C-alpha cells in the first residue's frame, strides 16, 4: 500500500512540543487518556449497533486490552470499538479541529503549576497526543466498524506523520507506544512494568464500564497465563455512598468533564417507585471559558440499565444549569431512545424537574452551611443561574433564594433579596436597583445621587442578564423591583420630606424653559422635566417606566432583532448653577441660538454621564472646543 506523508497543523505541532518538552510533570496521565479514548470508542460502537442492526460489527466481547512487550519496549492500548476511517484519522489525529485550540494553547502556556497544566491534557480532544510524553514514536492502526480496509498512522511527534491503508487491520483501534527509556527523575516511569500499569489503571480508570484486560507475566513452571481484568467496572452511581471514596468520585468527574480540578460539589440522587433512575452529578469549581458561547457542549451522560446511550443529553437539565456534569442511569427507558423521543418523553421531563430541584437545593445548602464554597459557586456560575429567573418560572423562587447581588450596603459582601428587604427603611415600598457595565460606573451614576443622599440601599447589577430578569421577576415578597434610571421617582416617603409647594412653584417657573428645550431636542427626547433624583449633577437621561433601556435595545439588536429606537426623558436639577444659568439666559434673551447649543451640550453630557455617547461625537467635540476657546 502507498504511504503518504503529511505535515502537522501548526497548532498541533506547537501542542506536541509543549507536551513533550516542557509542561507535564506527571507522565502517567497518558495511559488514562488512551484508555478513556478506547472506552469512548466502545460506547460509540454499542450505540451504533443499537441504532443499526445491519452494521457488520462484532459486539459480543467489547473490551480494552493492554499489551506490553518488554524486549521491544512497547505498550499497546487496543480496543474493538467503533474505529476510524482513513479520512477520520487524517482529520481527528493530524489536526486539532476545534475552534478553542488557540485559547487552549494560551492557557497551557500560562498554567501556573504542574497540577494545573497536566489537567489540561484532556481538553479539546487532545488526549491522544499525550502518548508522546512517554514515547519516541506512536503507531495507530484502526478500522472503522463495517468497513473492509484499515489505516495505519505513524509519527515521531515532530513535524510530520504518515498515513497508509492496510488490509489486515482488526475492528477497532490499537495505539502502540515505542517507549522512551525510564527516567524517574522526570516522572517518566517504566511503562513495561506490570505493577506500574496496574497501579495507573486502578488509580484513574477503575470505574470504566468496559473490562480493561492485560496478560500478566508468566511465572516459572507455569503455562501461559490467562488475561486478567484490571478494573472493577462498578458504576459508582450504583454503589452505596460508604463504598465509594471522594477520590473515586473526583476521578469520575475528571473523566466525564476533562477538567483537572476537583469538583466543588458532588450530588447523588436515587429515585425509586414507578420510574427508577440514579444520578451522580457534579458542580465544577471553575467555569469553563466557553460557558457563554453558542458552541458550548452541555448535557449529562445518559445510561439505560448501565448501557451508555449518549454523551450530552441536553434534556436532563435546563440550559441555565449547563455547567453541571454527571451521569444519569434510567431503568425504564428504551435502549434505542433518540433525541427526538427524549424531547417528548414524560419520564425525561419528570427527571429534569427532579434533578433541577436537587441541584438548586444543593446550592441552597451550600449557601447556608459553607459560605466560602457558595461564594465560589456564585462567582463562577451566578450569571448562568440568573438566566433561569427568565426561563424557568416554576423554579424562580428557588433560584431567587440562592441568588446574591452586589449592593451599596457593602463594598465586598453581596446580599440576598431577603436581606435587602430586612434592611429597608421605614416607609420604603420598593426594591431599588441599577444596571450597568461595572460597579464603579453605576455607583458614580447621577441617578444614584438622591439615593446616596438619603441612605437608601440600591442593588448594583452588572451582568447582561440582569437587564432581563428584573422585568421577568417584577417583585419580591410584595416589594416591586424598580430601576433608579426609569420613571419618575419620589423619595419623600423614603428618607426625608420635600416641600410639595416648592416643587410645584419650580415647575411653573421653569415651564417655559422645559417646553423650549423639548422642542430643541425633539429628535432625541420626548420630555424635559425637573428631577427629584439629582443632588449634584445638572442633568440626567431616564427611561419611561415601561420602556426598554438602551442596554436592552443594544442586546436585542446584537441578537439580530430589530427594535425601534426609544426616545428618553431629560431631567434637570433646578438646584444646579448650570441649570439656573440656563434658565436665566432663556428668560433674558429672545436670540437663543447659543442657548440651543448649550441645551444640546447639556443633553450630551447627561448621556455621557450614564456611559453612553453623544449622537454626533464630532459635533459634540466641536461645540465643547468652541466654548473652551471663549473662556481663555
Amino acid at each position: 500500500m502507498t504511504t503518504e506523508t503529511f505535515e502537522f497543523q501548526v497548532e498541533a505541532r506547537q501542542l506536541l512540543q509543549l507536551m513533550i518538552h516542557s509542561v507535564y510533570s506527571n507522565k502517567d496521565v497518558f495511559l488514562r487518556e488512551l484508555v478513556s479514548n478506547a472506552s469512548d470508542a466502545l460506547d460509540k460502537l454499542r450505540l451504533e449497533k443499537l441504532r443499526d442492526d445491519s452494521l457488520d460489527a462484532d459486539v459480543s466481547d467489547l473490551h480494552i486490552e493492554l499489551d506490553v512487550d518488554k524486549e521491544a519496549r512497547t505498550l499497546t492500548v487496543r480496543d474493538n470499538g467503533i474505529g476510524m476511517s482513513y479520512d477520520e484519522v487524517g482529520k481527528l489525529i493530524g489536526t486539532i479541529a476545534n475552534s478553542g485550540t488557540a485559547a487552549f494553547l494560551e492557557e497551557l502556556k500560562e498554567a501556573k503549576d504542574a497540577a494545573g497544566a497536566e489537567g489540561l491534557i484532556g481538553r479539546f480532544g487532545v488526549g491522544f497526543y499525550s502518548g508522546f510524553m512517554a514515547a519516541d514514536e506512536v503507531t495507530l492502526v484502526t478500522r472503522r466498524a463495517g468497513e473492509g480496509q484499515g489505516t495505519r498512522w505513524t509519527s515521531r511527534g515532530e513535524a510530520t506523520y504518515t498515513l497508509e491503508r492496510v488490509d489486515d487491520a482488526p475492528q477497532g483501534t490499537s495505539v502502540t507506544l515505542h517507549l522512551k527509556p525510564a527516567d524517574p527523575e522526570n516522572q517518566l516511569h517504566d511503562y513495561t512494568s506490570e505493577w506500574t500499569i496496574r497501579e495507573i489503571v486502578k488509580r484513574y480508570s477503575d470505574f470504566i464500564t468496559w473490562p480493561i484486560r492485560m496478560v500478566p507475566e508468566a511465572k516459572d513452571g507455569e503455562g501461559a497465563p490467562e488475561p486478567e481484568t484490571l478494573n472493577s467496572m462498578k458504576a459508582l452511581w450504583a454503589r452505596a455512598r460508604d463504598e465509594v471514596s471522594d477520590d473515586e468520585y473526583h476521578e469520575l468527574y475528571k473523566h466525564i468533564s476533562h477538567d483537572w480540578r476537583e469538583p466543588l460539589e458532588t450530588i447523588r440522587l436515587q429515585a425509586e417507585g414507578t420510574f427508577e433512575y440514579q444520578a451522580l452529578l457534579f458542580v465544577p469549581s471553575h467555569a469553563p471559558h466557553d460557558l457563554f458561547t453558542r458552541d458550548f457542549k452541555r448535557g449529562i451522560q445518559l445510561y439505560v440499565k448501565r448501557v451508555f446511550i449518549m454523551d450530552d443529553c441536553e434534556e436532563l437539565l435546563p440550559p441555565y444549569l449547563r455547567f453541571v456534569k454527571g451521569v444519569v442511569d434510567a431503568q425504564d427507558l428504551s435502549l434505542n431512545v433518540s433525541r427526538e423521543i427524549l424531547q417528548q418523553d414524560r419520564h425525561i421531563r419528570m427527571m429534569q424537574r427532579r434533578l433541577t430541584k436537587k441541584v438548586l437545593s444543593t446550592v441552597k445548602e451550600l449557601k447556608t452551611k459553607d459560605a466560602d464554597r457558595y461564594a465560589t459557586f456564585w462567582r463562577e456560575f451566578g450569571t448562568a443561574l440568573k438566566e433561569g429567573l427568565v426561563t424557568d418560572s416554576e423554579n424562580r423562587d428557588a433560584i431567587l433564594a440562592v441568588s446574591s447581588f452586589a449592593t451599596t450596603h457593602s463594598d465586598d459582601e453581596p446580599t440576598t433579596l431577603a436581606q435587602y428587604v430586612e434592611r429597608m427603611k421605614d416607609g420604603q415600598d420598593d426594591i431599588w436597583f441599577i444596571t450597568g457595565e461595572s460597579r464603579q460606573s453605576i455607583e458614580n451614576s447621577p441617578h444614584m445621587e438622591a439615593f446616596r443622599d438619603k441612605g437608601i440601599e440600591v442593588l448594583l447589577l452588572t451582568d447582561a442578564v440582569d437587564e432581563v430578569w428584573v422585568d421577568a421577576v417584577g417583585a419580591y415578597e410584595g416589594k416591586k423591583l424598580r430601576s433608579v434610571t426609569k420613571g419618575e421617582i419620589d423619595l419623600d416617603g423614603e428618607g426625608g420630606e420635600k416641600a410639595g409647594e416648592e416643587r410645584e412653584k419650580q415647575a411653573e417657573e421653569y415651564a417655559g424653559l422645559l417646553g423650549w428645550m423639548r422642542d430643541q431636542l425633539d429628535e432625541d427626547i420626548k420630555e424635559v422635566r425637573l428631577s427629584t433624583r439629582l443632588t449634584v449633577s445638572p442633568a440626567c437621561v431616564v427611561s419611561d417606566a415601561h420602556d426598554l433601556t438602551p442596554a436592552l435595545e443594544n442586546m436585542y439588536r446584537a441578537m439580530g432583532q430589530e427594535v425601534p429606537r426609544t426616545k428618553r426623558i431629560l431631567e434637570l436639577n433646578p438646584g444646579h448653577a448650570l441649570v439656573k444659568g440656563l434658565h436665566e439666559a432663556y428668560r433674558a434673551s429672545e436670540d437663543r441660538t447659543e442657548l440651543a447649543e448649550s441645551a444640546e451640550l447639556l443633553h450630551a453630557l447627561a448621556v455621557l454621564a450614564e456611559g453612553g455617547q453623544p449622537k454626533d461625537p464630532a459635533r459634540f467635540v466641536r461645540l465643547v472646543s468652541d466654548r473652551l476657546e471663549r473662556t481663555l
Side-chain angles (χ1 to χ4, degrees), residues 199-333:
E199 194 273 334
I200 294 173
V201 169
K202 186 68 178 175
R203 184 181 353 139
Y204 291 120
S205 307
D206 190 57
F207 53 82
I208 295 291
T209 53
W210 304 105
I212 304 171
R213 298 172 184 162
M214 184 175 70
V215 177
E217 296 179 15
K219 296 181 180 178
D220 294 339
E222 297 182 7
E226 293 293 319
E228 287 185 18
T229 298
L230 305 183
N231 58 322
S232 70
M233 295 182 292
K234 291 182 180 179
L236 297 188
W237 57 89
R239 293 161 62 182
R241 176 64 184 90
D242 56 5
E243 294 179 6
V244 186
S245 69
D246 288 341
D247 287 343
E248 288 178 297
Y249 281 138
H250 295 170
E251 283 305 323
L252 175 61
Y253 165 74
K254 292 174 184 177
H255 171 71
I256 292 171
S257 65
H258 299 299
D259 185 5
W260 60 270
R261 306 169 184 85
E262 293 182 353
L264 184 70
E265 185 66 21
T266 301
I267 304 171
R268 289 176 54 93
L269 179 64
Q270 181 160 337
E272 298 177 345
T274 55
F275 183 66
E276 296 185 1
Y277 60 92
Q278 297 159 320
L280 185 58
L281 306 180
F282 301 96
V283 177
S285 58
H286 186 78
H289 75 279
D290 55 348
L291 181 63
F292 295 99
T293 64
R294 187 173 298 177
D295 297 331
F296 180 74
K297 286 188 176 181
R298 68 179 183 89
I300 303 298
Q301 288 189 353
L302 176 63
Y303 285 73
V304 174
K305 297 175 183 175
R306 303 194 191 181
V307 175
F308 176 78
I309 300 300
M310 66 181 64
D311 196 39
D312 50 354
C313 183
E314 297 181 353
E315 290 74 19
L316 288 171
L317 282 174
Y320 66 89
L321 294 179
R322 59 188 174 274
F323 52 85
V324 176
K325 302 296 182 182
V327 172
V328 170
D329 189 354
Q331 306 303 309
D332 301 307
L333 289 176

Side-chain angles (χ1 to χ4, degrees), residues 59-119:
V59 293
S60 60
D61 181 29
L62 298 180
H63 64 277
I64 301 166
E65 183 180 339
L66 305 180
D67 186 12
V68 173
D69 186 331
K70 283 183 172 291
E71 293 186 6
R73 284 198 57 75
T74 63
L75 170 63
T76 300
V77 180
R78 184 180 297 113
D79 68 74
N80 55 348
I82 192 70
M84 289 179 283
S85 66
Y86 183 90
D87 290 340
E88 286 174 329
V89 172
K91 179 182 178 182
L92 300 175
I93 305 300
T95 63
I96 307 176
N98 190 294
S99 60
T101 302
F104 167 73
L105 284 168
E106 192 63 30
E107 193 168 347
L108 196 61
K109 293 174 183 175
E110 294 179 356
K112 301 297 184 185
D113 52 57
E118 73 187 30

Side-chain angles (χ1 to χ4, degrees), residues 96 114 124-125 141 184 251 451 588 601:
I96 307 176
F124 299 101
V141 177
E251 283 305 323
F451 293 87
L601 281 172

Side-chain angles (χ1 to χ4, degrees), residues 513-526:
L513 174 66
L514 300 180
W516 175 80
M517 288 185 67
R518 183 183 62 241
D519 294 339
Q520 294 297 314
L521 303 171
D522 182 61
E523 288 186 9
D524 301 304
I525 61 172
K526 61 182 175 184

